[in-house]
Each structure stands twice: as structure tokens, then as C-alpha cells.
Amino acid sequence: MGEAKAAAAAAGTDEGGKTFDAIVIGAGVAGLYQVYRLRELGFSVRGIEAASGVGGTWYWNRYPGARFDSEAEIYQYWFDEAMFKNWQPSERYPAQPETERWLNYVADRADLRKHFLFDTRVTAARYDEAAQLWAVDTDRGERLQARFLISCTGMLSAPLNEVFPGQASFRGQIHHTARWPKERVEFVGKRVGVVGTGATGIQVIQTIAPQVGHLTVFLRTPQYVIPMRNPKYTPADWAKQGARFAEIRDRIQRTFSGFEYDFSNGAWADLTPAQRTEVLERLWADGSLALWLASFSEMFFDEQVNEAVSEFVRQKMRERLKDPALCDKLIPTTYGFGTHRVPLESQYLEVYHQPNVDIVDVKASPIERIVPEGVMTADGTVHELDILILATGFDAGSGALTRIDIRGRGGRSLKEDWSREIRTSMGLQVHGYPNLFTTGAPLAPSAALCNMTTCLQQQVDWITDCIRSMREQGRREIEPSKAFEDAWVAHHDETANRTLVVKTHSWYMGSNVEGKPRRLLSYIGGVGTYRQKCDEVATSGYRGFTFA
Ligand code: NAP
């Protein structure tokens, strides 16, 4: 019996096995691992998941063309070498169905499913200061309790799906990419519209363009794009990766972005123009995110370097786009390369050469409302559609948590606190919310600038070690001090404000959600540096955190 459960039973508060050492929200990459780790240490743990299966992002984002752009050999768990070796990715960047299958394979192999309540959404969580327990309410009318509440709710999981007035009046089908139906959506011969050209919209557009009758892309901000090189992986290829298991695992903990590659091309200023071009060409040809996350770190700080790399990418795009009018529409000029998420793509730009594909410039004439026939723009035009796809993104970082009514000490509300300022202590806890741990949360490295499996496992490991050390020391409550949190926020801001990233509009800064406080949502000091800082806190006996 777990410690919280025993205490609750002794106090007569364990209503029918509803009290746990920990409740984990989410059965995605982080949630599965968090449940695994706590269970292995003998804690009682209950996972709660809104979906009907495991997978998180890979459950919800089943839109056409969804795939990751982390290499299959790094988008992995590291707790079971045989599990790695016995899985055979089909290619370097597998698509959503395969990644969802992989997470099911992990859940089955580690026997994790039985710990989760599926089809159950956490609606509220309130910290009971006297009992030092979290009371967690679900949309099934159940109340569970736990000493620790751990959110594994994902950085990009609160979809912006109510974007335009009149959506309910649309006569055709309307789908947000992160709520894509399991049933097949038939595109053949249909008039389809896509709003959004982020990493998601690009994948959708390039995938459905060959099938649709007509495609209308409602374009507001074009993207710098890199063509993906996605070779098939044979069993022999995967055996080679398996032989490198420990090497890969150890390497990705220390790099800037949690990928295998890192900035290792020398300083921009030390190279001749020809040498710089040689590096950029080599990384371009790799067809990965290395051009962004492992070329020249100066690109993030120095406007001239950034402009040079941006121009390199623009020229690559021009060569493919040929038509100057398309170049004007599709090649970014108002922000620098890499100052927000760089998508990998396959034949995305070529789509716009198809005669049945049109761009509607919604910067010039914004979408005003959805009408029964389609999309009405500010100039009064109605763009008639059968299917409207919203690739409009997410309330990133904070949205998954502010959509739950979370109440900390004195009944304070996380939603209200974060409506004024989004703050955390290393993205792992929030002052005022004892015993709440967070993964994939603001002010830690995450989706923006990290291979998610790397960052999430590191955060889960830190949380697990902390909870284990509390058990060893007989401690029941942990909370970061205000001073510690202030110092982390100040360090985070100082690191962020030295970069050009803070100057670009995107979900990275929260500027895609009206009224959301602005702050870079991901820590940009590097995955290796962040890990070191987290480790220092742990080895100091959690200096900056108060215990009860
Ligand atoms: P996103 O990057 O936030 O893109 C949203 C798009 O919707 C933008 O083009 C935005 O235009 C547009 N938009 C939003 N509201 C609009 C409006 N009212 N009118 C016109 N356009 C509007 O979201 P996302 O593409 O879903 O990607 C989010 C993140 O998920 C990515 O950055 C990435 O981290 C992750 N992701 C990863 C992969 C992968 O691993 N390959 C794939 C997909 C997503 P503006 O830019 O003008 O606001």
C-alpha cells in the first residue's frame, strides 16, 4: 500500500480505493513513462486520460500527413533496451499511425494500460492543505485523491478549434487537425480549404493536394521550409541503431536540442563565406532539422547571421517555386529563419504549381466568419467549400493546464495566475501549488526547441527522483519558494531576450492567442544546460524548494 493511501485509510478517507500516491494526467509520451517509473518504485499511481487509448499527441493528431521530424532512433524511450531493439521503424521519420502503434507497443510491453482510466477528463483539481492531498475531479463525476498530482498533458494539446464566428453554421465538414476523426475523410473531388500553414498545415496540404478536387489555402504567414529526407529503415539499418543504443541515449542528453546533432561547425565569424556555404549545403542535404538546430548558433542572436541563413533558405525556396508571384506569397521576409518552428516537408511548395490549388491572402483580407457555404473574407468574398480544415494550432504550454480548474494554496487559481503572468520553477513546479509537478510545461525546454522524448523523460526522471527522495526523508509536501521561482523566471527571460526568437510572432511567445501574456514558452538555454541545472537542484537537496 502506498504511503498516501495508508494515511488516507488510517484517517478513514480512502473511499473505495480512490486515494493514490500520485495521479498522472495524460497517457502520452510523458504520462506512460511517469506511471512506469512510479510503479517500479512501489508507489500507487492512477493515470487519467481523456482519449480512449494511449498516445497523447499521437492519438489526437491523426490528420493526413502527420509525422514527426525527430529521427526514429532518438524519438525513443531509454528504460528498456530490448524494447528499442524489438521495434522496427519503417523509416527515418515515421508517420502518425506508426508512432501511435509504437506507443501502444510500449504500453503493452510495460503493462501500463491497467493503471489508466481512459475516456476520462480531469475537470478540476484542488489542493487540500490540511490533508496535503490533491482532490481530482473527472467529467465522469468521480473524485480521486493523491499526494502528488503530475501533469503530463503535453505542450501542444489544447487545440484552438473555435477560431471563427459562425463555425457551427457550416454545411460541410469542419475538422481541427488535433481532433481529427478516426473515420476516413474522403477528399476525392471535394472542395477543401485549409486555414494555417504551420508545421501541421504544411503536412496536411502536401498530403491531400493530390487527392482533392480543389484546394484553397488561407495563408497568413508563410514559412521557411526544409525538404525532408526520409529513407526507409531496413532491419539491418535498425540493428545498427540498436548497437548504438547507449551511445544515442547518452549523447542526446547533452546536446542543445536533445537531438543527436549539435552546433559543431565552428564560429560563423571564423569561417570564410565559402566555408559557411559548405556547412549550410551539407546540412540542407541532410534533410533534417540540423540546418536549424545544429548549424550556427549565432543565427539565434545575430541579425546579420540570421539574415544570411534566411537568405540561403529563401534562395532554395525560389529555385523550387519558379513563379515570382508564388515566391512573393510563400517566401518569408518579415521574420528570420529559425525564430520559430521550422517545418520539414515533402513536395509542399510544388503543390502550389497545381492548377487546382489557390492561395487566399488572409493577411490582406482576413477571414471574417464561416458561413453555411464556406469561408467569408473581409472583402466580402465567400470561398465555397465542402471540407474546412483548421490547422490553427494550440494554446501552447499553458492551455492544457488552464483548461482544468486547478486550485492551489488558499484556493488560488492557476488559470487566473497565468492569465496575469505565465511562471514556473524550471517548468517542474509552480509556487503556490504544492505537490503539483508538471512536464512539458512553460519555461522548460520542450516542443519548440527539443526532441520531446528527450526532454520529457528527463523531466519525469527528475520528478520521480524528487518523490523518491521525499519518501526516504519522510517528507509529505514540496513547493518551490517564490524567490527560487523569481530567479528561474529572470534567468529564463534573460536567456530568451538575448535571442531573436522573442521578436517573432508565433505560439512560441504565446502571441497566437489573444490576451495571452507574452513570454517565450520554452527554455532556450539548451537541453544539456537545463539538465545540469535540474541535477544541481537535486544534488543540493532541492535548494529553493520548501518541504513539509
Ligand atoms: P501553428 O504553428 O501555431 O500554426 C497555426 C497556423 O494557423 C499559422 O499559420 C497561423 O497563422 C494560422 N492561423 C491561426 N489563426 C488564424 C486565423 N484566424 N486566420 C488565418 N490563419 C490563422 O500550429 P501547428 O501548425 O499546429 O504547429 C504547432 C506546433 O506543433 C509546431 O510548431 C510543432 O512544434 C508541432 N508540430 C510538429 C510536427 C512535426 O513534428 N513534424 C508537425 C505538426 C506540428 P499565423 O502564423 O499568421 O498566426
Short mmCIF file of all heavy atoms in Angstrom, two decimals, residues 142-193:
data_model
loop_
_atom_site.label_atom_id
_atom_site.label_comp_id
_atom_site.label_asym_id
_atom_site.label_seq_id
_atom_site.Cartn_x
_atom_site.Cartn_y
_atom_site.Cartn_z
N GLU A 142 -16.39 11.46 -10.86
CA GLU A 142 -15.60 10.79 -9.83
C GLU A 142 -14.66 11.78 -9.16
O GLU A 142 -14.19 12.72 -9.80
CB GLU A 142 -14.74 9.71 -10.49
CG GLU A 142 -15.25 8.30 -10.26
CD GLU A 142 -14.16 7.29 -10.53
OE1 GLU A 142 -13.60 7.32 -11.65
OE2 GLU A 142 -13.86 6.51 -9.63
N ARG A 143 -14.35 11.52 -7.88
CA ARG A 143 -13.31 12.29 -7.22
C ARG A 143 -12.23 11.32 -6.73
O ARG A 143 -12.53 10.37 -6.01
CB ARG A 143 -13.85 13.10 -6.06
CG ARG A 143 -12.73 13.72 -5.23
CD ARG A 143 -13.19 14.82 -4.33
NE ARG A 143 -13.64 15.98 -5.10
CZ ARG A 143 -14.04 17.13 -4.53
NH1 ARG A 143 -14.07 17.24 -3.23
NH2 ARG A 143 -14.43 18.15 -5.27
N LEU A 144 -10.98 11.57 -7.13
CA LEU A 144 -9.85 10.76 -6.67
C LEU A 144 -8.94 11.68 -5.88
O LEU A 144 -8.98 12.90 -6.03
CB LEU A 144 -9.08 10.18 -7.86
CG LEU A 144 -9.88 9.40 -8.90
CD1 LEU A 144 -8.97 8.95 -10.03
CD2 LEU A 144 -10.56 8.20 -8.28
N GLN A 145 -8.10 11.06 -5.05
CA GLN A 145 -7.16 11.86 -4.25
C GLN A 145 -5.76 11.32 -4.43
O GLN A 145 -5.58 10.12 -4.62
CB GLN A 145 -7.49 11.76 -2.78
CG GLN A 145 -8.84 12.29 -2.38
CD GLN A 145 -8.93 12.31 -0.86
OE1 GLN A 145 -8.84 13.36 -0.25
NE2 GLN A 145 -9.06 11.14 -0.25
N ALA A 146 -4.79 12.21 -4.30
CA ALA A 146 -3.40 11.76 -4.36
C ALA A 146 -2.51 12.76 -3.65
O ALA A 146 -2.81 13.96 -3.59
CB ALA A 146 -2.94 11.62 -5.80
N ARG A 147 -1.40 12.23 -3.12
CA ARG A 147 -0.40 13.14 -2.54
C ARG A 147 0.18 14.04 -3.64
O ARG A 147 0.34 15.23 -3.45
CB ARG A 147 0.73 12.29 -1.91
CG ARG A 147 1.89 13.08 -1.40
CD ARG A 147 1.67 13.68 -0.03
NE ARG A 147 1.48 12.67 0.98
CZ ARG A 147 0.48 12.66 1.89
NH1 ARG A 147 -0.40 13.64 1.89
NH2 ARG A 147 0.38 11.69 2.77
N PHE A 148 0.48 13.44 -4.77
CA PHE A 148 1.12 14.19 -5.85
C PHE A 148 0.24 14.19 -7.10
O PHE A 148 -0.33 13.14 -7.45
CB PHE A 148 2.48 13.59 -6.21
CG PHE A 148 3.44 13.57 -5.07
CD1 PHE A 148 3.71 12.38 -4.38
CD2 PHE A 148 4.06 14.73 -4.65
CE1 PHE A 148 4.57 12.36 -3.31
CE2 PHE A 148 4.93 14.72 -3.56
CZ PHE A 148 5.19 13.53 -2.89
N LEU A 149 0.16 15.34 -7.71
CA LEU A 149 -0.54 15.44 -8.99
C LEU A 149 0.51 15.78 -10.05
O LEU A 149 1.25 16.76 -9.88
CB LEU A 149 -1.61 16.54 -8.91
CG LEU A 149 -2.40 16.81 -10.19
CD1 LEU A 149 -3.19 15.57 -10.61
CD2 LEU A 149 -3.36 17.99 -10.00
N ILE A 150 0.58 14.97 -11.08
CA ILE A 150 1.63 15.17 -12.09
C ILE A 150 0.96 15.37 -13.45
O ILE A 150 0.27 14.46 -13.95
CB ILE A 150 2.59 13.97 -12.14
CG1 ILE A 150 3.09 13.65 -10.72
CG2 ILE A 150 3.75 14.26 -13.07
CD1 ILE A 150 3.94 12.41 -10.62
N SER A 151 1.15 16.54 -14.02
CA SER A 151 0.52 16.79 -15.32
C SER A 151 1.47 16.36 -16.44
O SER A 151 2.61 16.81 -16.52
CB SER A 151 0.15 18.27 -15.47
OG SER A 151 1.29 19.05 -15.66
N CYS A 152 0.97 15.45 -17.24
CA CYS A 152 1.69 15.01 -18.45
C CYS A 152 0.76 15.32 -19.61
O CYS A 152 0.41 14.45 -20.41
CB CYS A 152 2.04 13.54 -18.34
SG CYS A 152 3.18 13.20 -16.98
N THR A 153 0.35 16.58 -19.67
CA THR A 153 -0.74 16.98 -20.54
C THR A 153 -0.25 17.52 -21.89
O THR A 153 -1.07 17.86 -22.73
CB THR A 153 -1.58 18.07 -19.84
OG1 THR A 153 -0.70 18.95 -19.14
CG2 THR A 153 -2.54 17.47 -18.84
N GLY A 154 1.06 17.59 -22.05
CA GLY A 154 1.56 17.97 -23.38
C GLY A 154 1.67 19.46 -23.55
O GLY A 154 0.90 20.24 -22.99
N MET A 155 2.65 19.83 -24.36
CA MET A 155 2.91 21.25 -24.65
C MET A 155 1.90 21.77 -25.67
O MET A 155 1.51 22.93 -25.64
CB MET A 155 4.32 21.33 -25.25
CG MET A 155 4.80 22.69 -25.59
SD MET A 155 5.53 23.43 -24.15
CE MET A 155 6.02 25.02 -24.77
N LEU A 156 1.50 20.88 -26.57
CA LEU A 156 0.66 21.30 -27.71
C LEU A 156 -0.56 20.38 -27.75
O LEU A 156 -0.65 19.48 -28.58
CB LEU A 156 1.46 21.19 -29.00
CG LEU A 156 2.63 22.16 -29.10
CD1 LEU A 156 3.71 21.65 -30.04
CD2 LEU A 156 2.15 23.54 -29.54
N SER A 157 -1.47 20.60 -26.80
CA SER A 157 -2.59 19.68 -26.70
C SER A 157 -3.93 20.37 -26.50
O SER A 157 -4.96 19.70 -26.46
CB SER A 157 -2.35 18.69 -25.55
OG SER A 157 -2.11 19.42 -24.37
N ALA A 158 -3.90 21.69 -26.34
CA ALA A 158 -5.16 22.42 -26.18
C ALA A 158 -5.46 23.12 -27.51
O ALA A 158 -4.97 24.21 -27.79
CB ALA A 158 -5.03 23.45 -25.05
N PRO A 159 -6.22 22.47 -28.39
CA PRO A 159 -6.37 22.99 -29.75
C PRO A 159 -7.17 24.29 -29.80
O PRO A 159 -8.09 24.49 -29.01
CB PRO A 159 -7.12 21.87 -30.48
CG PRO A 159 -7.71 21.01 -29.44
CD PRO A 159 -6.94 21.20 -28.17
N LEU A 160 -6.77 25.14 -30.72
CA LEU A 160 -7.55 26.35 -30.98
C LEU A 160 -8.54 25.98 -32.08
O LEU A 160 -8.25 26.11 -33.26
CB LEU A 160 -6.62 27.49 -31.42
CG LEU A 160 -5.58 27.90 -30.37
CD1 LEU A 160 -4.59 28.91 -30.93
CD2 LEU A 160 -6.26 28.47 -29.12
N ASN A 161 -9.67 25.47 -31.64
CA ASN A 161 -10.63 24.97 -32.64
C ASN A 161 -11.90 25.78 -32.77
O ASN A 161 -12.71 25.54 -33.65
CB ASN A 161 -10.94 23.48 -32.41
CG ASN A 161 -11.29 23.18 -30.97
OD1 ASN A 161 -11.34 24.09 -30.15
ND2 ASN A 161 -11.53 21.93 -30.66
N GLU A 162 -12.07 26.74 -31.88
CA GLU A 162 -13.20 27.68 -32.04
C GLU A 162 -12.60 29.01 -32.42
O GLU A 162 -12.41 29.89 -31.60
CB GLU A 162 -13.98 27.79 -30.71
CG GLU A 162 -14.64 26.50 -30.25
CD GLU A 162 -15.74 26.03 -31.21
OE1 GLU A 162 -16.37 26.90 -31.86
OE2 GLU A 162 -15.94 24.81 -31.32
N VAL A 163 -12.29 29.17 -33.68
CA VAL A 163 -11.50 30.33 -34.10
C VAL A 163 -12.36 31.41 -34.73
O VAL A 163 -12.11 32.60 -34.56
CB VAL A 163 -10.42 29.90 -35.13
CG1 VAL A 163 -9.36 30.97 -35.27
CG2 VAL A 163 -9.79 28.58 -34.76
N PHE A 164 -13.37 30.98 -35.48
CA PHE A 164 -14.12 31.95 -36.27
C PHE A 164 -15.60 31.94 -35.88
O PHE A 164 -16.15 30.87 -35.59
CB PHE A 164 -13.99 31.62 -37.76
CG PHE A 164 -12.58 31.55 -38.23
CD1 PHE A 164 -11.99 30.33 -38.55
CD2 PHE A 164 -11.81 32.70 -38.32
CE1 PHE A 164 -10.67 30.26 -38.96
CE2 PHE A 164 -10.48 32.64 -38.74
CZ PHE A 164 -9.92 31.41 -39.06
N PRO A 165 -16.23 33.11 -35.93
CA PRO A 165 -17.68 33.11 -35.71
C PRO A 165 -18.37 32.32 -36.82
O PRO A 165 -17.87 32.28 -37.96
CB PRO A 165 -18.07 34.59 -35.75
CG PRO A 165 -16.90 35.34 -36.26
CD PRO A 165 -15.69 34.46 -36.16
N GLY A 166 -19.44 31.68 -36.48
CA GLY A 166 -20.25 31.02 -37.50
C GLY A 166 -19.83 29.60 -37.84
O GLY A 166 -20.40 28.99 -38.74
N GLN A 167 -18.85 29.05 -37.12
CA GLN A 167 -18.36 27.70 -37.47
C GLN A 167 -19.49 26.66 -37.48
O GLN A 167 -19.52 25.78 -38.33
CB GLN A 167 -17.25 27.26 -36.52
CG GLN A 167 -15.90 27.86 -36.89
CD GLN A 167 -14.76 27.44 -35.97
OE1 GLN A 167 -13.84 28.19 -35.78
NE2 GLN A 167 -14.81 26.25 -35.40
N ALA A 168 -20.41 26.82 -36.50
CA ALA A 168 -21.49 25.82 -36.38
C ALA A 168 -22.44 25.88 -37.57
O ALA A 168 -23.18 24.92 -37.84
CB ALA A 168 -22.25 26.03 -35.08
N SER A 169 -22.42 26.98 -38.30
CA SER A 169 -23.37 27.13 -39.41
C SER A 169 -22.88 26.44 -40.69
O SER A 169 -23.63 26.30 -41.66
CB SER A 169 -23.61 28.62 -39.70
OG SER A 169 -22.47 29.17 -40.36
N PHE A 170 -21.63 26.00 -40.70
CA PHE A 170 -21.04 25.46 -41.93
C PHE A 170 -21.76 24.17 -42.33
O PHE A 170 -21.96 23.27 -41.51
CB PHE A 170 -19.55 25.19 -41.70
CG PHE A 170 -18.81 24.72 -42.91
CD1 PHE A 170 -18.91 25.40 -44.12
CD2 PHE A 170 -18.00 23.58 -42.86
CE1 PHE A 170 -18.21 24.96 -45.24
CE2 PHE A 170 -17.31 23.14 -43.97
CZ PHE A 170 -17.42 23.83 -45.17
N ARG A 171 -22.13 24.09 -43.61
CA ARG A 171 -22.89 22.91 -44.07
C ARG A 171 -22.02 21.69 -44.34
O ARG A 171 -22.49 20.56 -44.35
CB ARG A 171 -23.64 23.28 -45.35
CG ARG A 171 -24.99 23.95 -45.09
CD ARG A 171 -25.95 23.72 -46.26
NE ARG A 171 -25.43 24.32 -47.48
CZ ARG A 171 -25.83 25.50 -47.97
NH1 ARG A 171 -26.76 26.19 -47.36
NH2 ARG A 171 -25.31 25.96 -49.07
N GLY A 172 -20.73 21.94 -44.56
CA GLY A 172 -19.83 20.81 -44.85
C GLY A 172 -19.20 20.28 -43.57
O GLY A 172 -19.71 20.49 -42.47
N GLN A 173 -18.08 19.58 -43.75
CA GLN A 173 -17.35 19.06 -42.58
C GLN A 173 -16.30 20.07 -42.15
O GLN A 173 -15.64 20.67 -42.99
CB GLN A 173 -16.60 17.79 -42.93
CG GLN A 173 -17.44 16.62 -43.36
CD GLN A 173 -16.53 15.46 -43.77
OE1 GLN A 173 -15.60 15.08 -43.06
NE2 GLN A 173 -16.80 14.89 -44.93
N ILE A 174 -16.15 20.19 -40.85
CA ILE A 174 -15.10 21.07 -40.33
C ILE A 174 -14.30 20.28 -39.29
O ILE A 174 -14.86 19.66 -38.40
CB ILE A 174 -15.71 22.38 -39.78
CG1 ILE A 174 -14.65 23.34 -39.27
CG2 ILE A 174 -16.72 22.15 -38.72
CD1 ILE A 174 -15.19 24.77 -39.12
N HIS A 175 -12.97 20.25 -39.47
CA HIS A 175 -12.14 19.45 -38.56
C HIS A 175 -10.91 20.25 -38.15
O HIS A 175 -10.20 20.79 -39.01
CB HIS A 175 -11.62 18.19 -39.26
CG HIS A 175 -12.70 17.28 -39.76
ND1 HIS A 175 -13.60 16.66 -38.93
CD2 HIS A 175 -13.02 16.90 -41.03
CE1 HIS A 175 -14.43 15.93 -39.65
NE2 HIS A 175 -14.10 16.06 -40.94
N HIS A 176 -10.66 20.30 -36.84
CA HIS A 176 -9.35 20.77 -36.39
C HIS A 176 -8.40 19.57 -36.48
O HIS A 176 -8.78 18.44 -36.16
CB HIS A 176 -9.40 21.30 -34.95
CG HIS A 176 -8.12 21.96 -34.52
ND1 HIS A 176 -7.02 21.24 -34.11
CD2 HIS A 176 -7.75 23.26 -34.45
CE1 HIS A 176 -6.03 22.07 -33.81
NE2 HIS A 176 -6.45 23.31 -34.00
N THR A 177 -7.17 19.83 -36.88
CA THR A 177 -6.22 18.74 -37.11
C THR A 177 -5.96 17.90 -35.86
O THR A 177 -5.69 16.70 -35.96
CB THR A 177 -4.88 19.30 -37.62
OG1 THR A 177 -4.53 20.42 -36.79
CG2 THR A 177 -4.99 19.75 -39.06
N ALA A 178 -6.04 18.53 -34.68
CA ALA A 178 -5.77 17.80 -33.44
C ALA A 178 -7.03 17.13 -32.88
O ALA A 178 -6.99 16.58 -31.78
CB ALA A 178 -5.17 18.73 -32.40
N ARG A 179 -8.12 17.19 -33.62
CA ARG A 179 -9.32 16.45 -33.24
C ARG A 179 -9.84 15.71 -34.47
O ARG A 179 -11.03 15.64 -34.74
CB ARG A 179 -10.40 17.41 -32.69
CG ARG A 179 -10.08 17.97 -31.32
CD ARG A 179 -10.07 16.87 -30.24
NE ARG A 179 -9.69 17.39 -28.93
CZ ARG A 179 -8.44 17.44 -28.48
NH1 ARG A 179 -7.43 17.00 -29.23
NH2 ARG A 179 -8.16 17.92 -27.28
N TRP A 180 -8.88 15.17 -35.20
CA TRP A 180 -9.22 14.54 -36.49
C TRP A 180 -10.00 13.24 -36.24
O TRP A 180 -9.64 12.47 -35.35
CB TRP A 180 -7.92 14.22 -37.26
CG TRP A 180 -8.19 14.02 -38.71
CD1 TRP A 180 -8.35 12.83 -39.35
CD2 TRP A 180 -8.38 15.03 -39.68
NE1 TRP A 180 -8.61 13.05 -40.67
CE2 TRP A 180 -8.64 14.40 -40.91
CE3 TRP A 180 -8.36 16.44 -39.66
CZ2 TRP A 180 -8.87 15.10 -42.10
CZ3 TRP A 180 -8.59 17.14 -40.83
CH2 TRP A 180 -8.84 16.47 -42.02
N PRO A 181 -11.07 13.00 -37.00
CA PRO A 181 -11.87 11.80 -36.74
C PRO A 181 -11.11 10.52 -37.07
O PRO A 181 -10.23 10.52 -37.93
CB PRO A 181 -13.08 11.97 -37.68
CG PRO A 181 -12.65 12.95 -38.71
CD PRO A 181 -11.58 13.82 -38.10
N LYS A 182 -11.49 9.45 -36.39
CA LYS A 182 -10.86 8.16 -36.69
C LYS A 182 -11.36 7.61 -38.03
O LYS A 182 -10.65 6.87 -38.70
CB LYS A 182 -11.16 7.15 -35.57
CG LYS A 182 -10.39 7.45 -34.29
CD LYS A 182 -10.66 6.41 -33.23
CE LYS A 182 -9.85 6.73 -31.98
NZ LYS A 182 -10.24 5.95 -30.81
N GLU A 183 -12.57 7.98 -38.39
CA GLU A 183 -13.11 7.51 -39.66
C GLU A 183 -12.40 8.24 -40.80
O GLU A 183 -12.00 9.40 -40.66
CB GLU A 183 -14.62 7.82 -39.79
CG GLU A 183 -15.48 7.29 -38.66
CD GLU A 183 -15.33 8.09 -37.37
OE1 GLU A 183 -15.36 9.34 -37.45
OE2 GLU A 183 -15.13 7.48 -36.31
N ARG A 184 -12.31 7.57 -41.92
CA ARG A 184 -11.65 8.14 -43.09
C ARG A 184 -12.42 9.35 -43.60
O ARG A 184 -13.65 9.32 -43.72
CB ARG A 184 -11.62 7.05 -44.16
CG ARG A 184 -10.83 7.37 -45.37
CD ARG A 184 -10.93 6.17 -46.33
NE ARG A 184 -10.75 6.61 -47.69
CZ ARG A 184 -9.56 6.91 -48.21
NH1 ARG A 184 -8.48 6.77 -47.48
NH2 ARG A 184 -9.46 7.32 -49.46
N VAL A 185 -11.71 10.43 -43.89
CA VAL A 185 -12.33 11.61 -44.51
C VAL A 185 -12.04 11.53 -46.00
O VAL A 185 -10.88 11.40 -46.41
CB VAL A 185 -11.77 12.91 -43.89
CG1 VAL A 185 -12.34 14.13 -44.60
CG2 VAL A 185 -12.05 12.97 -42.39
N GLU A 186 -13.07 11.55 -46.79
CA GLU A 186 -12.93 11.38 -48.24
C GLU A 186 -12.69 12.74 -48.91
O GLU A 186 -13.51 13.65 -48.79
CB GLU A 186 -14.22 10.74 -48.78
CG GLU A 186 -14.14 10.31 -50.22
CD GLU A 186 -12.94 9.42 -50.52
OE1 GLU A 186 -12.92 8.25 -50.08
OE2 GLU A 186 -12.01 9.93 -51.19
N PHE A 187 -11.57 12.88 -49.59
CA PHE A 187 -11.24 14.16 -50.22
C PHE A 187 -11.48 14.19 -51.72
O PHE A 187 -11.53 15.26 -52.32
CB PHE A 187 -9.76 14.49 -49.98
CG PHE A 187 -9.42 14.78 -48.54
CD1 PHE A 187 -8.68 13.89 -47.80
CD2 PHE A 187 -9.88 15.94 -47.93
CE1 PHE A 187 -8.38 14.15 -46.48
CE2 PHE A 187 -9.59 16.21 -46.61
CZ PHE A 187 -8.83 15.30 -45.87
N VAL A 188 -11.59 13.00 -52.32
CA VAL A 188 -11.61 12.94 -53.78
C VAL A 188 -12.77 13.79 -54.34
O VAL A 188 -13.92 13.62 -53.92
CB VAL A 188 -11.72 11.48 -54.27
CG1 VAL A 188 -11.87 11.42 -55.79
CG2 VAL A 188 -10.50 10.69 -53.81
N GLY A 189 -12.41 14.69 -55.21
CA GLY A 189 -13.42 15.52 -55.87
C GLY A 189 -13.97 16.64 -55.00
O GLY A 189 -14.80 17.44 -55.45
N LYS A 190 -13.50 16.77 -53.78
CA LYS A 190 -14.08 17.74 -52.85
C LYS A 190 -13.37 19.10 -52.92
O LYS A 190 -12.18 19.18 -53.25
CB LYS A 190 -14.00 17.20 -51.40
CG LYS A 190 -14.80 15.94 -51.16
CD LYS A 190 -16.25 16.28 -50.91
CE LYS A 190 -17.20 15.11 -50.92
NZ LYS A 190 -16.82 13.92 -50.24
N ARG A 191 -14.13 20.13 -52.57
CA ARG A 191 -13.53 21.48 -52.43
C ARG A 191 -13.10 21.61 -50.97
O ARG A 191 -13.93 21.64 -50.07
CB ARG A 191 -14.55 22.56 -52.78
CG ARG A 191 -15.07 22.48 -54.21
CD ARG A 191 -16.31 23.31 -54.37
NE ARG A 191 -17.37 22.88 -53.46
CZ ARG A 191 -18.53 23.51 -53.29
NH1 ARG A 191 -18.80 24.61 -53.96
NH2 ARG A 191 -19.44 23.05 -52.45
N VAL A 192 -11.79 21.68 -50.79
CA VAL A 192 -11.26 21.65 -49.43
C VAL A 192 -10.52 22.96 -49.14
O VAL A 192 -9.78 23.47 -49.99
CB VAL A 192 -10.27 20.46 -49.26
CG1 VAL A 192 -9.75 20.40 -47.83
CG2 VAL A 192 -10.94 19.15 -49.64
N GLY A 193 -10.72 23.48 -47.94
CA GLY A 193 -9.98 24.68 -47.50
C GLY A 193 -9.12 24.34 -46.30
O GLY A 193 -9.53 23.55 -45.44
#
